[in-house]
Amino acid sequence: MSEGHLDFHDAKGRRRILVIEDEFINREILGFLLSDTYDLAFAETGEQALAILEAQFETLSLVLLDLNLPDMKGMDILRRIKADVRTAMLPVIVMTADQEAEVESLSLGAIDFIPKPYPKREVILARVLRTIELFEGRDIIHWTERDQITGLYNREFFYRYAAQFDSFHPDEATDAIVLDINHFHMINERHGREFGNEVLRRVGQKLLEVVREGNGIVCRRESDTYLVYCLHREGFEDIIESVSLQMGEGYRVRVRLGVYPDVDKTIDMERRFDRAKQAADKVKNSFTGAVGVYDSSMHEKEVFAEQLLESFHTAIRERQFVVYFQPKFDIRPDKPRLSSAEALVRWIHPTLGFISPGVFIPLFEENGLIRELDSYVWREAARHIRLWKQKLGLSIPVSVNVSRIDLYDPQLLATLQGLVAEFGLNRGEMLLEITESAYTENSEQIISVVNSLRESGFHIEMDDFGTGYSSLNMITQVPIDALKLDMKFIRTAFADRKDTRLLVAVIGLAKSLGLPTVAEGVETEEQVDALREMGCDIVQGYFFSRPLPADGFETFVSGLAGVKA
Ligand code: C2E
Ligand code: CA
Ligand code: CA
């Protein structure tokens, strides 16, 4: 038995063995031999054995079965274990002095036997260990259960063992912890992959060291995220401290923790760690603390989010999503001229009331519902473009938001083309806003999708420009028809200490590329004038109008002097 194996058992908490044995002295001997390495449950009678099997089958790794019991035949117990689907895979080692019985028990599904009187301690331990490993699949244990880099559990096995941990500690408060290494991708980039792996390994090892004392289990979930499930503790600074490694001269590893303390054991294991992850994200860019704790406000948010997700389909069916329109004005002429509008969705919820998209869009982007919502919004937009053409005799192009998730939908182009055809729209009447950050995510694929949209006649506006991480240089390379400057951009330029240099530079760059610029979030006349001065083409914002429901927008448009000219 190698060190490694012992290690491996300890790390996840000891495995549990049911010893079914009526003789006191034999129980004592087995206890003496095994209790250092294993967690033992004893049954003195067949009845007790069946009760333990019934209640604890999930936590057992092995049964040691004496064939002579006062109230029942050992063979019958073996039969029942093998006949019950819940325990059929549980290995049973038979303990007997009767060689005949050995054969019969093997044929009934016992995996091995231990003769009586008992052989040497090493023999028993080796058989027990071998059986447990055999049962769990030695290869599986070594290659699938464990993460190759750190030797910690991988995610699937971790969740299983965490559940098992619960059954060993049913009444004790337990914490779910997520640990992330700060800026791990930078470590990889700057020092190379091998160094990065070394960091992962050392962090894993340190984590195992601190947590073992506190009785818990550890895994690496993916890349630089570790999960810890352990008995409740006060304070987590010791974890931070011991994992904040100094890697040679060059680098000090910094981490952040998300803790969901005293978990609710009635919810899914994965959910417990989702909560810990949420808590970790809370301190992601914080300089003040490295530990985020899941609290009741986060819980309320989660409950709210769930409520929204649950009512999504009803909301679509009952048309609770209402599309508002906000005009965009061309400010190049002395008198600004309506150029188009942006479709912005709102949720008028029957019980929760008005919900703004900033609340539900990110949520729907997380789980793909956004595709359904967006195509609903696009259809509404298309319908109104046509309605206004008929009713007002005006062609008002409307831009719709295309979420980055939509760009991975192979049907995207077909869906949009279908709408344009169905409502008899001209090219260029439906504009597409695609957020800047979508381009940085997977630029090659996104660029090819955007290219195909443009080739079929759609105009693309790059939305939220200035919030992503793209360089100014990027806009020279991507296929777009207009640049929509993010609101924050405008805010900083017009803040107390005005600094419009960046704005001027960007507008200038866009102009040199022949790209019109759209400024968002423009609220004052002063801003409009300054933007015009800088060469900005189109303006959208409260100064002209807030987003309006369709009929309000109609009234607004009809009130514009000379719009029909
Ligand atoms: P966005 O695309 O950047 O939309 C502009 C946001 O700025 C809108 O917020 C608009 O109401 C707001 N806004 C416009 N003018 C002003 C102003 O002068 N001052 C201020 N403070 N705000 C102004 P809204 O409607 O809450 O939408 C938030 C975000 O939700 C949008 O940001 C967009 O990313 C997303 N969104 C809205 N509708 C949809 C949709 O149908 N599909 C998708 N995928 N996303 C949408
Ligand atoms: Ca937009
Ligand atoms: Ca925007």
Side-chain angles (χ1 to χ4, degrees):
M1 196 168 36
S2 74
E3 275 292 311
H5 287 140
L6 271 175
D7 239 24
F8 157 71
H9 287 283
D10 280 352
K12 74 180 56 161
R14 299 170 308 170
R15 284 183 169 74
R16 175 161 247 220
I17 299 176
L18 171 59
V19 178
I20 307 173
E21 171 63 76
D22 61 324
E23 291 201 49
F24 174 74
I25 184 67
N26 286 341
R27 289 200 303 274
E28 284 292 291
I29 293 171
L30 289 173
F32 173 73
L33 293 179
L34 297 173
S35 61
D36 277 350
T37 320
Y38 299 99
D39 179 33
L40 301 179
F42 288 102
E44 297 173 28
T45 63
E47 199 184 334
Q48 279 177 16
L50 293 178
I52 292 176
L53 282 164
E54 181 65 34
Q56 305 184 14
F57 64 92
E58 280 173 315
T59 69
L60 295 172
S61 292
L62 176 68
V63 175
L64 295 180
L65 174 65
D66 174 22
L67 290 183
N68 297 313
L69 296 168
D71 59 338
M72 220 180 265
K73 280 198 191 132
M75 258 356 145
D76 287 335
I77 294 181
L78 179 56
R79 256 191 218 100
R80 289 179 66 161
I81 290 175
K82 293 296 150 188
D84 187 333
V85 287
R86 296 171 306 172
T87 51
M89 296 300 287
L90 187 58
V92 177
I93 295 180
V94 162
M95 304 181 291
T96 175
D98 176 3
Q99 293 217 330
E100 296 278 304
E102 276 170 27
V103 179
E104 192 189 351
S105 54
L106 289 178
S107 75
L108 281 178
I111 196 146
D112 204 349
F113 58 89
I114 292 175
K116 284 182 182 175
Y118 293 131
K120 283 203 292 197
R121 174 176 200 204
E122 283 74 15
V123 175
I124 295 186
L125 277 173
R127 281 197 185 177
V128 165
L129 177 68
R130 194 187 65 99
T131 301
I132 291 177
E133 284 201 336
L134 209 66
F135 161 71
E136 290 179 353
R138 200 186 185 109
D139 289 343
I140 296 176
I141 288 174
H142 285 276
W143 299 109
T144 335
E145 185 178 65
R146 307 218 149 231
D147 160 42
Q148 300 273 296
I149 294 176
T150 61
L152 299 172
Y153 294 130
N154 64 32
R155 168 195 205 130
E156 287 73 30
F157 279 84
F158 176 81
Y159 285 129
R160 263 172 54 182
Y161 290 127
Q164 215 171 59
F165 188 85
D166 273 351
S167 38
F168 282 115
H169 306 279
D171 303 319
E172 281 154 281
T174 309
D175 301 336
I177 304 173
V178 170
L179 180 143
D180 279 314
I181 300 177
N182 291 343
H183 309 300
F184 183 70
H185 63 283
M186 305 255 288
I187 302 181
N188 260 341
E189 264 165 41
R190 218 176 280 164
H191 303 275
R193 261 200 116 65
E194 207 23 69
F195 184 87
N197 286 351
E198 184 57 27
V199 169
L200 292 176
R201 229 179 335 261
R202 304 246 307 251
V203 166
Q205 210 165 24
K206 285 286 173 195
L207 204 49
L208 204 54
E209 281 167 23
V210 251
V211 170
R212 205 180 267 173
E213 293 164 18
N215 206 356
I217 58 173
V218 181
C219 88
R220 184 167 76 106
R221 186 169 70 178
E222 76 263 301
S223 81
D224 59 331
T225 302
Y226 299 77
L227 306 182
V228 176
Y229 196 60
C230 61
L231 295 180
H232 179 60
R233 37 158 70 225
E234 296 296 334
F236 299 89
E237 272 62 31
D238 58 329
I239 297 186
I240 300 267
E241 214 153 278
S242 72
V243 195
S244 302
L245 302 162
Q246 186 72 43
M247 298 288 292
E249 308 266 291
Y251 193 81
R252 187 165 180 83
V253 177
R254 292 187 196 288
V255 300
R256 57 179 183 279
L257 291 189
V259 182
Y260 172 32
D262 190 4
V263 300
D264 173 354
K265 292 189 184 173
T266 65
I267 65 171
D268 267 7
M269 193 57 76
E270 291 196 37
R271 255 203 55 216
R272 299 179 208 173
F273 283 94
D274 282 347
R275 290 184 173 183
K277 178 71 182 161
Q278 285 171 38
D281 288 345
K282 212 169 57 169
V283 291
K284 189 160 190 168
N285 295 311
S286 137
F287 290 99
T288 47
V291 183
V293 178
Y294 184 84
D295 58 27
S296 60
S297 76
M298 295 173 77
H299 180 63
E300 277 153 30
K301 231 176 109 184
E302 198 186 321
V303 170
F304 182 66
E306 243 163 60
Q307 208 176 346
L308 296 188
L309 289 175
E310 271 166 24
S311 45
F312 177 79
H313 286 289
T314 316
I316 289 278
R317 221 180 313 118
E318 296 180 352
R319 303 179 64 79
Q320 292 168 15
F321 291 107
V322 179
V323 178
Y324 279 42
F325 298 89
Q326 185 177 36
K328 300 181 196 173
F329 279 83
D330 186 339
I331 56 165
R332 283 167 301 184
D334 282 344
K335 193 169 175 323
R337 201 169 45 84
L338 179 71
S339 75
S340 62
E342 178 176 6
L344 292 159
V345 68
R346 278 90 183 87
W347 189 348
I348 318 294
H349 194 285
T351 53
L352 302 169
F354 185 100
I355 311 172
S356 62
V359 174
F360 58 83
I361 296 282
L363 189 65
F364 295 157
E365 279 179 338
E366 248 171 59
N367 50 39
L369 290 177
I370 190 68
R371 271 161 54 171
E372 206 174 323
L373 178 60
D374 275 347
S375 49
Y376 173 93
V377 173
W378 302 339
R379 167 167 288 273
E380 283 295 284
R383 191 166 71 79
H384 282 100
I385 298 170
R386 176 183 168 115
L387 181 77
W388 292 326
K389 280 212 282 198
Q390 291 171 334
K391 209 166 154 187
L392 308 175
L394 280 175
S395 163
I396 308 169
V398 172
S399 64
V400 294
N401 289 285
V402 177
S403 156
R404 59 178 220 292
I405 313 292
D406 299 317
L407 298 172
Y408 294 99
D409 176 3
Q411 293 304 310
L412 175 65
L413 180 59
T415 304
L416 289 166
Q417 280 174 326
L419 283 174
V420 169
E422 182 182 340
F423 292 97
L425 307 183
N426 302 325
R427 283 163 171 242
E429 278 183 321
M430 195 154 159
L431 315 171
L432 309 178
E433 296 192 10
I434 299 176
T435 183
E436 183 210 54
S437 55
Y439 287 87
T440 38
E441 184 172 292
N442 181 351
S443 22
E444 254 168 61
Q445 177 173 358
I446 299 300
I447 287 173
S448 91
V449 172
V450 174
N451 267 329
S452 69
L453 292 169
R454 283 184 90 210
E455 276 158 21
S456 73
F458 289 101
H459 287 249
I460 312 289
E461 296 189 357
M462 183 189 272
D463 203 357
D464 309 319
F465 184 78
T467 55
Y469 296 97
S470 52
S471 54
L472 281 183
N473 188 32
M474 185 182 91
I475 57 169
T476 65
Q477 289 154 9
V478 296
I480 46 172
D481 302 287
L483 198 60
K484 215 172 165 186
L485 309 173
D486 189 71
M487 206 174 311
K488 285 186 208 121
F489 228 104
I490 314 292
R491 293 280 170 279
T492 16
F494 295 101
D496 285 347
R497 295 179 57 214
K498 290 192 180 50
D499 188 352
T500 53
R501 282 174 300 178
L502 193 54
L503 199 51
V504 170
V506 173
I507 293 173
L509 178 62
K511 205 164 263 324
S512 76
L513 294 166
L515 284 178
T517 43
V518 184
E520 216 174 25
V522 175
E523 296 182 349
T524 67
E525 183 155 27
E526 182 208 350
Q527 291 171 350
V528 176
D529 292 340
L531 284 161
R532 182 188 285 121
E533 191 81 353
M534 291 176 213
C536 174
D537 306 287
I538 314 258
V539 155
Q540 174 183 353
Y542 295 173
F543 174 70
F544 289 109
S545 167
R546 291 185 172 254
L548 300 166
D551 54 354
F553 183 76
E554 239 177 82
T555 313
F556 174 84
V557 171
S558 311
L560 293 171
V563 277
K564 269 189 169 171

